[in-house]
Amino acid sequence: MTRIDAKFAALKAEGKKAFVAYIMAGDPDLETSAEILAGLPGAGVDVIELGLPFTDPMADGPTIQLAGQRALDGGQTLQKTLDMVAAFRKTDDTTPIVLMGYYNPIYNRGVTRFLQDAKEAGIDGLIVVDLPPEEDEELCLPAQEYGINFIRLATPTTDDRRLPTVLQNTSGFVYYVSITGITGSAAAQATDVGPEVARIKSATDLPVIVGFGITTPDAAQNIAGVADGCVVGSAIVKEIGAGKSPAEVLEFVSGLAAGAHRA
């Protein structure tokens, strides 16, 4: 059982929904990013998604793109990101961390070396948005051999013919993208999301977590109410990009987490 599996089992036993928060590693700089990362569990975050900066983030909107550019400009690398996680693990051995990004930096490092290093650092799951199920032998299956969950995205355009393929080797949870388009581009609506989550849950026992388009505590509550939890990324990253202090960012995150946990 991975940390992700254990976390969702514990939440289910408590009758609680999950709150997942995304930040970009190294944004706006390594020290500030590490401080925010360390504070997320105390702010109510159940699962952390840690973005891996990349030069061509095709699925991300301007907010996440700019965060990645700030991180890269500050010298953030894959190794520094893994080192951040290893430092986090010295004081927190239970909060799951999912590394989210693109395949190029992983491929460049070498899959086997990357998986060994990720496991040692304390990474629990991967979301690699540019590797479709047809490429599962590339990274998905090897990752699971290392005990690292491979989390797949489903979208409003994932129809009933495509869904079984998407779910086939997915583990940890299913990330349902609530809107079509890039991150931060529209608001998620529970009335639209609910039936889609039900459709996915009829095909899998995995938790279904909804992301994209969630910016307020009320929205977090509404979306978590029709799923197993919700993800907030762009809204948090926007606070970081505005130059807010780690304490101010974590206060904002705490409000979102409280909203999700009210669901």
Side-chain angles (χ1 to χ4, degrees):
M1 179 178 280
T2 66
R3 289 187 187 93
I4 296 171
D5 299 330
K7 175 61 70 173
F8 279 107
L11 288 167
K12 186 175 182 180
E14 296 171 24
K16 287 178 65 176
K17 301 300 181 76
F19 180 68
V20 184
Y22 170 100
I23 63 169
M24 178 68 73
D27 175 40
D29 55 67
L30 182 58
E31 183 179 351
T32 305
S33 181
E35 185 176 345
I36 294 170
L37 178 67
L40 289 175
V45 175
D46 299 302
V47 179
I48 297 168
E49 284 183 11
L50 187 61
L52 182 61
F54 182 52
T55 53
D56 189 22
M58 60 186 181
D60 295 309
T63 299
I64 304 293
Q65 287 185 22
L66 289 169
Q69 196 59 56
R70 289 192 296 267
L72 291 170
D73 289 346
Q76 189 71 11
T77 63
L78 173 54
Q79 185 58 53
K80 288 181 180 178
T81 301
L82 294 176
D83 291 344
M84 275 181 67
V85 176
F88 175 91
R89 285 285 172 235
K90 291 179 181 178
T91 57
D92 187 319
D93 194 43
T94 57
T95 304
I97 295 182
V98 176
L99 194 64
M100 184 171 186
Y102 299 83
Y103 185 46
N104 185 280
I106 297 169
Y107 176 80
N108 188 53
R109 192 180 189 88
V111 168
T112 300
R113 180 186 170 202
F114 166 75
L115 290 172
Q116 290 170 342
D117 293 347
K119 184 68 175 179
E120 186 175 342
I123 295 290
D124 304 294
L126 299 173
I127 299 175
V128 183
V129 297
D130 54 349
L131 275 182
E134 287 76 13
E135 306 294 336
D136 275 356
E137 292 184 4
E138 192 78 21
L139 181 63
C140 171
L141 298 179
Q144 297 194 14
E145 290 177 7
Y146 276 84
I148 297 174
N149 291 129
F150 199 89
I151 295 141
R152 190 81 68 193
L153 276 63
T155 75
T157 60
T158 306
D159 62 22
D160 289 339
R161 288 187 299 173
R162 181 63 175 168
L163 186 60
T165 304
V166 169
L167 296 174
Q168 186 174 352
N169 293 313
T170 299
S171 63
F173 60 91
V174 178
Y175 187 137
Y176 179 68
V177 177
S178 64
I179 56 174
T180 55
I182 53 176
T183 58
S185 61
Q189 301 296 331
T191 51
D192 298 329
V193 169
E196 289 297 298
V197 170
R199 182 171 68 91
I200 296 167
K201 289 183 72 66
S202 71
T204 180
D205 292 331
L206 292 171
V208 179
I209 307 301
V210 177
F212 285 44
I214 302 166
T215 60
T216 67
D218 284 346
Q221 179 178 358
N222 291 338
I223 296 299
V226 297
D228 296 302
C230 67
V231 184
V232 178
S234 293
I236 297 169
V237 172
K238 193 172 289 185
E239 296 289 302
I240 296 170
K244 300 290 182 69
S245 69
E248 290 172 316
V249 172
L250 293 169
E251 183 178 359
F252 178 73
V253 171
S254 182
L256 293 164
H261 291 149
R262 285 196 299 270

